[in-house]
Structures are given as C-alpha cells and as structure tokens.
Amino acid sequence: MKQFIYTFLIAAFLLLANACTEATIFAGGGGDDGKGGAEEGEVPLSVKNLGLSVEVESRSIATGGPAADAGTNPNPLTKVGLCVTKKEESGAVGFYDSGNTSTQFVYNAAASPAAVWEPAAGQEALLLSSVKGTVYAYVPAEKSVSLSGTLNVPLMSNVEVLDQQEFKFTAPVAETTEATGSIEWDIDQDDYLYCKVPTEVDRWSPAVSLTMYHALAKVSFRVVEKEGGTAFAGCRVKKVVLKSSGGLKKSATATLNLSTGELGDTMVGTDELSFTAAGTGTDDMRVIGTGVSEPTDVAGVPIQAFGLVIPVTGVDVTLELTLEDDRVFTMSPAGDTDVPGAFSVNWEKGNNYIYNIGMSPRGIEIANVVVAGWNEGGTTEVPME
C-alpha cells in the first residue's frame, strides 16, 4: 500500500485522430493557428518518460518514482489511474473522450533504456487533440470515477474506510533503527490518493507531472513507560482502540472529490476505531519503550501501532491499549472520578498524528501529540485539549 506523496512524470503523445494505421495517426480538425490540419502528416503514437525526481519539501513530502523512493518507502506507488475532462463549447464539462473515461498507468522498471510510466496492459491510450483538457489522478487505480455536481467534478466512488483495521510490521526493527527510518505501511485499509494537475494538456503539451495527496489522515501510537521505568520490559502492543460517542467516522460507499480531496456522501458515525496487529508472532508486534526518559531517546522508540482515518475536528476520545497477553489499560482518570480521561482530536487529511503515550501500572496518558510527514517520527508538537 499506501504511501507518501509522490511526483512522477507521465508523458504520452496522445493524439485525437481522424484516421490512423496501427503505427501512425493522421491528425485533423486544425484551426487558423496553423497547428492543425491534415498537412501535418503522420504522427507516431508514443509514450515517453521525461524523467523522475525526488524532492523533500516541508513535512517530508516525498516525491518521485519507485526507484527513487527505494531507500525510504518499502511499498512504493507503481500504479495510478488517470481521467481527463474538457469544457464543451456550451460551457459544460465532460470527459475528454466519452468512450475512454479512465486509463491506468504502471511503472515499468524493466523498460530499456530507462524505467518508464506507461499504460497498463490492455488499457486504451487516451488521444488528445487541440482541445484543452484537465487531468486528474487517483489511487487505487482500479476504482471507478464519474462526473458529478453542477461543475461535473470527477468523483471516485465506493470509498471504504474501515473502523476495524489490521496492521503488520513486515520486519523487526533493529535496535539501532531511528523512528524516522521505521516506516509503517502494511495495513488492510486502502490509502486513497488524489491529484488535479494545475496545467492543462493538449496534443502539443501532452506531458503531465503528478503530485499525489493523501485523502485520509494517519494516526500513529508510540508507547513508552513513564519515568524511564522497566516494569513493562519485553511487553508488546497488540491493539489500540479509540472510543467516542459517535464522533468518529467510517464508510463503506463514500465518494472522493479528485479536485479537493474531500470525502462525501455515506460516511457514518462510529463509537470506536481499532488498530490491531495482524499477526501473533514476536515480529508482528513491537515492544513498549522502557528505560528511556530523555526526549531524544523517547523519539527514537519505534511506533507500535498505526491506522488510517477519516478527517474529523473537535472530537473527544479516550484511548484503550491491549498488550500481547490481553491485559487492557485505559487512560488514567481525570480528577477524583473513575471515568477514563479523554482528549480532543483534530485530524486533517495528509497529516500523520503521532500520539506519544506514557504508561504505568495505574494506566496510560497522552504525553503529547506531534504532526509529521507520512513517514516521519515527528517533530512538530500540536496543542492538546
């Protein structure tokens, strides 16, 4: 899955034709600008990769192709869906080609002389004419996209966000591994990505650069025994549950706006979101951080649980932690009550919220929350309420 914000270049000489052979296309229908017309002759249909690059921006937004990401992303993006719209003479917006509304592109690392992004096997190339088009991209690439609303914006349908998610750590983390290098991606929840390309395309400008954005937020949990204690040495985290009175959200058939990244339609409230280790072995669950108290040492403790969530604002939740031996710990009560403590969550799409949890035999408490890039250990603290 499921992964960073990526930029990759997909270039396609995609030409709307009056007639074509298997290897050539005759471009017609030109205007007074001198660029169109049959006099241009035969134009080969081709797909050309213009190069891949990696840039590190604020909050470690990583961009680039799979090869460039190899050292930092264990599950790089290798497939993306594209759809193109155009404005009709009437002003209405429609698909660029009503008979070819979406195309899947895949990353071919074995291509010679260099790796390229190219249409997936069996996919029909979209042909561009002199008419300007707007490109939208999305992941998962297999999802259906339709036009909706007064502006006919592309919407991905059947967006499912689970209230019970399972994560898996594909390999144990070495003792020397820093949290920033401990990337969590393997989860049964799809990571929905979207993009609207800011520059239009046509037959003379067919190359697009895609910057993909996350439509969900990521929540990560780092559990450390308070005051440098060692009572929980060797104990492993099995599950984290967030509980609220219906303020959290899940969905089975929501829509995703490919222009804004907003989720809509059938999202429903839920009282719980759970994130559970998928396996039962020692490599599938990570140990609680013990014997550490300095902030830099705490920040080096690998994340023990994570999940993907629908953005919400101002929702009061409490947290419950289950260990490998099925012992359950709740948040320490506030004041003189026996009611578990609570805190407010504000999740924005594309952010990774890392909850640093202090643990003692009496219960757990949220020490602080930091917002980070999708693959970071986190450095920017956000207010707790």
Side-chain angles (χ1 to χ4, degrees):
M1 169 202 116
K2 291 172 182 167
Q3 18 263 152
F4 294 80
I5 294 181
Y6 305 83
T7 296
F8 44 86
L9 297 175
I10 302 177
F13 287 95
L14 305 169
L15 307 172
L16 186 64
N18 287 343
C20 65
T21 67
E22 182 178 355
T24 61
I25 294 179
F26 297 89
D32 295 336
D33 56 7
K35 296 179 180 178
E39 65 270 16
E40 285 193 342
E42 299 179 351
V43 181
L45 177 64
S46 64
V47 177
K48 182 180 179 182
N49 180 276
L50 298 184
L52 302 172
S53 64
V54 175
E55 301 173 358
V56 178
E57 304 164 357
S58 61
R59 293 185 180 172
S60 290
I61 295 175
T63 62
D69 284 348
T72 57
N73 182 4
N75 188 22
L77 187 67
T78 57
K79 182 185 288 187
V80 64
L82 297 181
C83 72
V84 183
T85 64
K86 65 180 179 180
K87 184 174 290 187
E88 307 287 356
E89 292 183 1
S90 65
V93 174
F95 282 117
Y96 202 94
D97 180 351
S98 60
N100 183 11
T101 58
S102 64
T103 303
Q104 295 178 22
F105 274 72
V106 295
Y107 184 74
N108 183 358
S112 179
V116 296
W117 285 92
E118 61 188 15
Q123 294 285 299
E124 179 184 357
L126 177 67
L127 307 179
L128 297 175
S129 67
S130 58
V131 177
K132 297 289 187 180
T134 301
V135 179
Y136 298 85
Y138 55 94
V139 173
E142 298 79 10
K143 286 290 188 180
S144 297
V145 174
S146 60
L147 300 182
S148 180
T150 56
L151 299 178
N152 263 2
V153 175
L155 297 181
M156 178 193 294
S157 57
N158 295 321
V159 173
E160 182 178 17
V161 183
L162 306 172
D163 57 343
Q164 298 179 14
Q165 300 177 17
E166 290 190 345
F167 59 85
K168 181 171 63 176
F169 300 111
T170 56
V173 177
E175 293 181 1
T176 56
T177 299
E178 297 293 335
T180 52
S182 171
I183 307 168
E184 295 74 41
W185 289 107
D186 199 351
I187 191 170
D188 60 356
Q189 171 61 55
D190 282 327
D191 185 9
Y192 295 100
L193 305 176
Y194 70 98
C195 166
K196 178 183 179 181
V197 179
T199 56
E200 292 182 312
V201 295
D202 58 22
R203 61 169 299 168
W204 299 286
S205 300
V208 291
S209 177
L210 306 176
T211 300
M212 307 299 294
Y213 296 93
H214 296 275
L216 301 179
K218 182 179 180 183
V219 289
S220 304
F221 305 94
R222 176 187 291 123
V223 186
V224 178
E225 188 167 349
K226 295 174 63 175
E227 299 175 355
T230 58
F232 292 98
C235 293
R236 297 178 181 273
V237 175
K238 180 179 180 179
K239 180 169 66 173
V240 171
V241 179
L242 297 177
K243 296 185 175 183
S244 178
S245 298
L248 303 171
K249 295 181 180 180
K250 64 178 180 178
S251 174
T253 58
T255 58
L256 172 61
N257 185 313
L258 299 185
S259 178
T260 65
E262 298 300 319
L263 295 169
D265 290 341
T266 53
M267 292 182 292
V268 297
T270 181
D271 293 336
E272 291 187 7
L273 298 177
S274 66
F275 313 100
T276 306
T280 58
T282 56
D283 290 346
D284 299 314
M285 290 181 253
R286 289 182 175 171
V287 296
I288 293 172
T290 58
V292 294
S293 57
E294 295 296 324
T296 54
D297 296 330
V298 170
V301 174
I303 299 299
Q304 296 105 340
F306 65 97
L308 304 179
V309 295
I310 295 175
V312 296
T313 301
V315 176
D316 291 331
V317 303
T318 188
L319 187 146
E320 186 177 278
L321 178 69
T322 302
L323 302 185
E324 181 183 15
D325 58 8
D326 289 329
R327 283 184 291 169
V328 178
F329 292 81
T330 59
M331 292 186 65
S332 302
D336 297 329
T337 71
D338 57 359
V339 178
F343 58 100
S344 181
V345 299
N346 297 281
W347 299 329
E348 296 180 7
K349 62 180 181 291
N351 283 345
N352 175 20
Y353 296 90
I354 300 178
Y355 291 87
N356 290 310
I357 302 170
M359 187 167 187
S360 73
R362 295 184 297 276
I364 55 178
E365 63 181 36
I366 305 297
N368 68 336
V369 185
V370 294
V371 63
W374 211 253
N375 67 317
E376 283 189 307
T379 56
T380 306
E381 189 168 345
V382 297
M384 284 285 294
E385 297 180 6

